Amino acid sequence: MKSRTAELLSKYKSLKRNNGNHSPSINEIQRIVGVEKKIIDACYLCNPYAFELSYKFLSSIDFRKAIKYYPPQNSVVASNIAEYRNLPLQNVLVGNGAIEIIEYFLNSFENKNILLPMPVFSTYYDLTCGHNNLIYHILDKNADFCLDIDDFIYKIKKNHIDIICIVNPNNPTGSSISLDNLVKIHQSMTDTQLLIIDESFVEFSKKTESIESYSLNFSNIIVIRSLSKEFGIAGIRLGYAVLPENIKIKALKKGFLWNSNGLAVEFSKLLTDKSFVDEYKRSFQTYLNARDEFSTQLSSFSSFKVYPSESSFFLIEFSEGSEELFSHLLWDHNIYVRLMENRMGLDGEFLRIASLTREENSKIFNALNEIITSKYITNGEYLKLA
């Protein structure tokens, strides 16, 4: 590897150690490559078209009022979300991002047998290991990381599982589980077993749908949703859970009352604005079309494997050289992707690349093409791909 890319990779890894299993933010990356450079953030897993729309609508609010005064309790935000999603208010709990809800429940588990499909969003094992018994169900990459439902149900029964956590569609693989199969998993469980479904990316899927409505009829399902991903508002920090009322009441006694900021309150009002929702639906379809085109572009390369994705990103596997490619994308092309080194459940070398706008996707595709067809590839100086 050339010295400058090796130096960049070393700086990145130093940042990464400080961030645990999560990627350094784009602000941290900017300090490495230079603040004067415009970076394409292909770690950004949100809908960029929806961001532009959300920003346009939010530009008309009274920012002075939203920032100066204390916001109302999050029941106001919950009411707006409940109206948008057609859910009973008593079953909606608002979080400062979906992550607050995830962390709350994971930190409440003690001495439980917890079943996790792997690989998965690292918070699910980071916060439960050490004081619980984690049982991993390794997803087969030869089956495109799709869950074998019957085998999974067998493991639930065999290991006397207390809690099942599923991210659907999964992060980082992009694989999804159909609603019918989720119901099949739930119907195999007892009333004392808890099913947590993280649906942060479910709106991006064409093959599955939310289990929210089904969950309302049961006392042992918690559905966690992120509004950041689909609406492109990661900085506002807004997520929610659909859960039994008694579990919501218990959670509210321990927090969550004042966890929504003024901008989150203002955004939640947009969810009840028909003109905003109608424009959002059109922008979301634009995003899905761009994502599908990007999938076709990426799949045209024979140098790496692109796994099928029902999410806002693609998992890509290399025979070797993923670190070098990561470095050259960032240093030479100002493109920041997710290096999936040492990720539990991923055996091999992987990158995760988010789908962004059509223009940004084209820049990513062209950069990959330039790197892969460069003289360095052909003579094997720094990168060897399958």
Side-chain angles (χ1 to χ4, degrees):
M1 194 189 303
K2 291 184 175 181
S3 59
R4 66 176 186 174
T5 51
E7 179 184 359
L8 178 66
L9 182 62
S10 176
K11 290 181 178 179
Y12 168 80
K13 287 188 173 182
S14 178
L15 272 180
K16 181 72 169 57
R17 284 191 292 272
N18 294 330
N19 283 270
N21 285 314
H22 300 284
S23 298
S25 71
I26 189 63
N27 292 324
E28 294 171 296
I29 293 297
Q30 200 82 53
R31 290 201 298 269
I32 293 179
V33 300
V35 294
E36 74 284 354
K37 291 186 177 182
K38 183 177 180 180
I39 305 298
I40 294 177
D41 185 5
C43 284
Y44 179 77
L45 302 181
C46 305
N47 175 3
Y49 294 102
F51 162 74
E52 295 296 339
L53 176 66
S54 299
Y55 185 76
K56 181 182 77 170
F57 273 77
L58 286 173
S59 295
S60 64
I61 70 171
D62 185 344
F63 273 97
R64 182 181 180 87
K65 180 180 178 181
I67 296 172
K68 180 178 181 179
Y69 297 106
Y70 288 112
Q73 290 190 1
N74 79 21
S75 58
V76 173
V77 178
S79 178
N80 291 331
I81 292 173
E83 179 179 341
Y84 171 66
R85 295 294 300 168
N86 193 27
L87 295 165
L89 177 58
Q90 65 267 23
N91 298 109
V92 176
L93 175 70
V94 173
N96 191 318
I99 191 66
E100 182 186 27
I101 300 172
I102 294 170
E103 290 176 345
Y104 166 77
F105 284 110
L106 297 185
N107 283 321
S108 69
F109 300 147
E110 291 281 350
N111 301 316
K112 301 294 185 181
N113 291 332
I114 301 176
L115 180 60
L116 293 174
M118 297 289 287
V120 73
F121 181 50
S122 59
T123 296
Y124 281 94
Y125 52 83
D126 285 343
L127 295 185
T128 52
C129 65
H131 48 280
N132 292 283
N133 178 33
L134 301 189
I135 296 92
Y136 299 130
H137 182 90
I138 305 300
L139 300 173
D140 184 2
K141 69 179 182 180
N142 294 318
D144 293 334
F145 296 104
C146 291
L147 183 68
D148 184 318
I149 301 301
D150 293 332
D151 190 32
F152 192 68
I153 290 174
Y154 172 76
K155 190 163 288 186
I156 292 173
K157 296 179 178 179
K158 177 185 177 182
N159 293 279
H160 306 290
I161 298 298
D162 299 304
I163 300 161
I164 300 99
C165 297
I166 296 174
V167 180
N168 189 46
N170 191 28
N171 179 12
T173 65
S175 55
S176 66
I177 305 169
S178 70
L179 178 58
D180 287 345
N181 278 331
L182 285 175
V183 171
K184 183 177 180 180
I185 291 171
H186 178 253
Q187 290 179 345
S188 74
M189 298 164 49
T190 66
D191 292 342
T192 60
Q193 293 173 310
L194 177 64
L195 177 61
I196 296 178
I197 306 290
D198 181 342
E199 293 188 338
S200 292
F201 297 95
V202 73
E203 292 299 320
F204 297 100
S205 177
K206 295 181 179 180
K207 294 184 178 179
T208 190
E209 56 188 289
S210 177
I211 198 172
E212 283 180 336
S213 296
Y214 173 86
S215 72
L216 294 172
N217 300 308
F218 301 94
S219 61
N220 64 340
I221 306 179
I222 296 173
V223 183
I224 300 173
R225 299 287 300 266
S226 166
L227 293 172
S228 302
K229 310 296 188 299
E230 57 189 283
F231 287 100
I233 52 164
I236 289 181
R237 311 307 303 140
L238 186 57
Y240 69 96
V242 181
L243 69 179
E245 185 178 6
N246 65 308
I247 298 180
K248 174 183 176 178
I249 292 172
K250 182 178 179 181
L252 289 175
K253 289 180 179 179
K254 296 186 177 182
F256 292 98
L257 288 174
W258 297 98
N259 60 342
S260 296
N261 61 58
L263 289 180
V265 174
E266 292 299 324
F267 176 80
S268 74
K269 294 177 184 177
L270 294 179
L271 298 176
T272 66
D273 182 334
K274 185 178 184 302
S275 63
F276 172 79
V277 172
D278 287 345
E279 282 197 51
Y280 159 71
K281 290 178 180 177
R282 290 192 290 271
S283 75
F284 195 75
Q285 188 57 53
T286 299
Y287 175 79
L288 292 180
N289 292 340
R291 180 200 63 179
D292 293 347
E293 292 169 10
F294 192 40
S295 175
T296 300
Q297 287 179 314
L298 291 176
S299 298
S300 68
F301 289 107
S302 60
S303 303
F304 50 72
K305 178 178 174 59
V306 181
Y307 287 91
S309 176
E310 287 293 304
S311 194
S312 59
F313 55 82
F314 296 94
L315 185 67
I316 298 174
E317 182 177 16
F318 305 81
S319 61
E320 57 182 314
S322 58
E323 288 189 347
E324 289 86 347
L325 183 56
F326 166 86
S327 299
H328 283 274
L329 281 171
L330 185 53
W331 184 266
D332 298 325
H333 299 275
N334 303 324
I335 296 171
Y336 178 37
V337 301
R338 177 69 153 89
L339 181 61
M340 307 299 293
E341 80 278 25
N342 303 320
R343 189 64 173 264
M344 288 183 62
L346 283 181
D347 182 18
E349 296 198 26
F350 296 85
L351 295 178
R352 189 192 66 196
I353 302 179
S355 177
L356 303 171
T357 65
R358 278 191 175 91
E359 294 74 19
E360 290 170 319
N361 290 345
S362 292
K363 290 179 180 179
I364 296 170
F365 172 77
N366 291 335
L368 286 169
N369 190 55
E370 181 179 326
I371 294 171
I372 290 171
T373 58
S374 71
K375 63 180 181 179
Y376 300 107
I377 298 298
T378 56
N379 67 21
E381 182 178 334
Y382 72 73
L383 186 59
K384 296 178 182 178
L385 301 175

